[in-house]
Amino acid sequence: MAAKECCLTGFEWDGTPIGKEGKLANNDSYIVGDNADVAILVIADLFGWTFINERLLCDHYAEEADATVYMPDFFGGLVIAPEILRDIRRWNEFDLEKFHKDNDKHVRWPELLSCVQALRQKHKKIGVIGYCYGGWSSFQLGSSTHNPRLVDCISAGHPTWLTKEEMDNIGVPVQIVAPETDMAFTEELKRYANEVIPTKGVPYDYAFFPGVEHSFCTRGNPDDEKERLAMVRAKRVQVAWMKEWLHGDGKW
C-alpha cells in the first residue's frame, strides 16, 4: 500500500456531532462531555479536528467512558477536504510530504505539551487516545521521562511515526489497537512492541484486528461487515481501557 493510499483512503460516516468548538491552551478544539474530574485527549489522524468521523468518536468516548473529551487542532489550521476520501483523482490536491514537514514531531510537541498541561489544571485524570499521527504523540505524552507523569494512560490506534525508543520509554498503562495490514506500524514494530513493552512494568493491552488495514478505526467502511465489526470492537476495547485507568483505582 502506497503512502497516499494508506493516508487518504477511507469512508466518511453519517451522523451529527453533539459537541462544541472551543479552545484548549491556544489550540482550537472540539469539546464534548461534562466530567470535571476525567478528561480524554483525542489526537486525530491527518484529517484533523474537524473530521466528522473523529468527532463522532469523541462523542462516543464522552458518553461511554464518562469523560470530557478534547480534540485539538494540531495541524496549524490545515483541513483536508473529506471529499478526497471519495475521489482518488483528488489525491494530488494534498501534499503529503509538506504535511510531514510542517507537522514534524519537534514542530508540534510544544502544542501537545501545553494542551496536556492545560488539562492538568482542570482535571484529576487524563487519558490519551491517538490515531495514526496521534500514535507517536500519545507515546511521547506517556513517556517515563516525564516526572511527574503528564497523563494517566494512553491508547494508540494504528500508530504512525512510532519509534522503538518511544516504546522503550513508555511509563503509563498503554494499549495498542493494531490492524493486520499496516505500512506504518510494521510487522517489525509490532514484534518489538510485544517483546519490549511487557518488560517495562506497565499494564499493556495489545488488541489485534485481523482482516483490516491502517486507518480502520477512523475511516473504516460501515457497510462492510468485517470492517464495521472491527470498528465497533475497537471502540469497545478503547472505552474499557479508559474506564479502567481513569475511573478505577489507578494502581498497578
Side-chain angles (χ1 to χ4, degrees):
M1 181 183 291
K4 278 203 170 181
E5 183 180 355
C6 176
C7 293
L8 298 179
T9 54
F11 295 82
E12 191 175 11
W13 304 339
D14 293 328
T16 302
I18 62 172
K20 61 184 180 181
E21 294 185 1
K23 289 281 189 179
L24 179 63
N26 293 318
N27 293 57
D28 291 331
S29 301
Y30 179 73
I31 304 168
V32 60
D34 59 1
N35 191 316
D37 293 329
V38 175
I40 296 174
L41 178 69
V42 173
I43 306 173
D45 69 9
L46 85 172
F47 277 82
W49 77 291
T50 63
F51 189 37
I52 186 172
N53 295 12
E54 295 185 73
R55 290 192 171 195
L56 293 171
L57 286 170
C58 289
D59 294 351
H60 179 82
Y61 299 134
E63 180 178 2
E64 297 298 323
D66 186 16
T68 303
V69 178
Y70 302 78
M71 183 168 61
D73 171 22
F74 287 122
F75 301 144
L78 173 69
V79 173
I80 304 173
E83 291 79 13
I84 289 178
L85 288 172
R86 299 189 291 271
D87 189 352
I88 190 173
R89 296 169 298 180
R90 297 188 61 179
W91 284 5
N92 287 333
E93 295 177 17
F94 180 69
D95 189 336
L96 186 60
E97 184 176 345
K98 185 177 187 301
F99 173 87
H100 288 168
K101 181 179 179 180
D102 292 346
N103 298 288
D104 181 79
K105 295 181 180 184
H106 299 294
V107 173
R108 297 302 174 193
W109 172 249
E111 296 177 25
L112 288 156
L113 181 59
S114 65
C115 283
V116 166
Q117 290 171 335
L119 290 179
R120 272 294 178 211
Q121 295 176 4
K122 298 180 179 182
H123 302 277
K124 295 178 181 177
K125 292 285 189 74
I126 302 171
V128 181
I129 296 176
Y131 294 109
C132 187
Y133 182 93
W136 72 264
S137 41
S138 60
F139 267 78
Q140 285 205 11
L141 290 169
S143 174
S144 61
T145 61
H146 306 303
N147 187 18
R149 293 183 300 181
L150 292 177
V151 301
D152 297 286
C153 65
I154 69 169
S155 176
H158 37 76
T160 298
W161 295 0
L162 181 61
T163 66
K164 292 178 179 179
E165 181 180 9
E166 287 162 345
M167 287 188 271
D168 288 340
N169 289 334
I170 191 64
V172 299
V174 52
Q175 178 185 65
I176 296 177
V177 175
E180 181 177 1
T181 303
D182 195 334
M183 67 172 295
F185 191 51
T186 63
E187 294 302 310
E188 179 184 0
L189 290 174
K190 289 174 183 174
R191 285 193 298 271
Y192 192 85
N194 288 321
E195 290 171 1
V196 171
I197 295 177
T199 71
K200 298 301 175 179
V202 298
Y204 174 48
D205 178 50
Y206 182 79
F208 178 71
F209 292 78
V212 292
E213 301 178 351
H214 181 87
S215 82
F216 83 97
C217 290
T218 55
R219 286 177 266 132
N221 182 0
D223 295 324
D224 180 287
E225 185 67 0
K226 177 171 283 189
E227 288 193 25
R228 186 189 68 80
L229 291 174
M231 290 189 294
V232 170
R233 180 181 160 223
K235 289 190 293 185
R236 189 179 296 137
V237 299
Q238 289 183 301
V239 165
W241 193 250
M242 292 293 121
K243 290 174 71 172
E244 176 65 28
W245 300 109
L246 300 181
H247 293 285
D249 58 21
K251 295 178 180 178
W252 41 276

